[in-house]
Amino acid sequence: MSSPIVSIKGLRAGFGPTTVLHGVDLAVGPAEVAVLLGLNGAGKSVTLRVAAGLIPAWAGTVRLGGEDVTTLPAEARVGRGMAHVTQGRHVFPGLTVEENLRLGAYTLRRRDRSRYAAVLDSVLDRFPRLADRRRQLAGTMSGGEQAMLAVGRALMANPRVILVDEPSAGLAPAAADALVETLRGVHRSGVAMLLVEQNVTFALDLADTVHVMRQGTVVHSAPRQRVDQDRLTAELGIGRLLKGGTR
């Protein structure tokens, strides 16, 4: 892999006296989709939140494009090219689609207001459904549309990498399938992705690289085509997986 866009080494973090991450090591290459899998409580979402700057690291480093961002606040990381789609999507229901997208461009507008219109147009071109509903209140949209909006809002920061937490949670199968295509389009555009997902089929359908977590550490990493299926099914406590995803 060429120099990673995100590199996490020796990451330790937690809450109060409880340590959740016990030395996480992983990397995400440019334009790569890296997936974090593991049982509930393994530390997947905490890893994303520490990487995004929402939870402080106790030890270890987070690097973005080679720069040590471990102690930088979340806003500064967004300004350097990292966006975060949080678990539960958390769109602003009382604001329109376009107003939600505008909020996603907060750091972009501070850096270079002149670029805002072009970035908005590019996001709306990428997501015609959002363009059709740009004046609609986000709270009146379906779960799948809100998931799409959350991804579009993250892209308004013009990121190099997005961290996506449980995107398919609560979605009907058809909406989850549509979201896979949305994220695949983001991948094709050259944006790297670190994805946490409980739906293993959904995750493997997108993944270039798979990292499996257990009790706050990464215990298995491999390109998707070379994942140890027996190890993966044992770690996740699931039946035999279909081979290789659907790509």
Side-chain angles (χ1 to χ4, degrees):
M1 180 172 66
S2 58
S3 297
I5 189 69
V6 174
S7 176
I8 295 172
K9 292 187 177 179
L11 199 61
R12 293 182 63 251
F15 307 97
T18 303
T19 302
V20 178
L21 305 183
H22 298 268
V24 173
D25 296 315
L26 63 87
V28 183
E32 178 187 33
V33 178
V35 170
L36 274 178
L37 299 175
L39 297 176
N40 287 334
K44 306 182 301 298
S45 293
V46 174
T47 299
L48 253 62
R49 296 185 72 190
V50 175
L54 300 177
I55 296 174
W58 293 354
T61 58
V62 178
R63 292 185 176 275
L64 177 60
E67 178 187 4
D68 189 342
V69 298
T70 311
T71 61
L72 292 183
E75 180 181 334
R77 300 185 202 200
V78 173
R80 285 162 169 76
M82 177 185 287
H84 185 203
V85 181
T86 60
Q87 187 174 359
R89 297 176 281 278
H90 296 297
V91 300
F92 295 93
L95 300 181
T96 66
V97 167
E98 186 169 342
E99 288 168 338
N100 271 270
L101 294 175
R102 182 177 176 85
L103 287 175
Y106 172 72
T107 58
L108 174 70
R109 289 187 292 113
R110 288 187 63 186
R111 294 196 316 270
D112 187 356
R113 185 178 295 270
S114 66
R115 296 180 59 203
Y116 170 73
V119 173
L120 176 62
D121 286 345
S122 71
V123 170
L124 293 177
D125 285 346
R126 179 176 291 175
F127 303 115
R129 192 175 304 179
L130 298 184
D132 292 342
R133 292 159 173 75
R134 63 191 299 171
R135 309 299 182 198
Q136 183 174 335
L137 292 179
T140 66
M141 301 171 76
S142 69
E145 290 167 342
Q146 290 186 22
M148 185 182 299
L149 175 57
V151 174
R153 185 176 60 191
L155 293 177
M156 287 296 299
N158 200 28
R160 294 181 284 169
V161 58
I162 60 172
L163 315 179
V164 189
D165 196 356
E166 300 281 6
S168 74
L171 296 184
D177 289 345
L179 183 58
V180 166
E181 291 305 314
T182 294
L183 294 175
R184 190 172 286 138
V186 172
H187 180 210
R188 284 195 295 265
S189 74
V191 178
M193 192 180 312
L194 178 58
L195 173 71
V196 165
E197 182 55 61
Q198 288 287 354
N199 183 328
V200 177
T201 301
F202 182 105
L204 294 180
D205 205 25
L206 288 163
D208 296 309
T209 303
V210 176
H211 304 280
V212 182
M213 291 190 69
R214 172 170 27 97
Q215 296 179 341
T217 61
V218 175
V219 296
H220 180 56
S221 296
R224 179 178 57 89
Q225 296 88 342
R226 297 205 296 271
V227 168
D228 184 331
Q229 294 280 316
D230 292 331
R231 178 74 179 272
L232 185 60
T233 56
E235 292 289 350
L236 300 181
I238 57 178
R240 186 75 180 172
L241 294 173
L242 295 175
K243 291 183 178 180
T246 61
R247 283 190 297 174

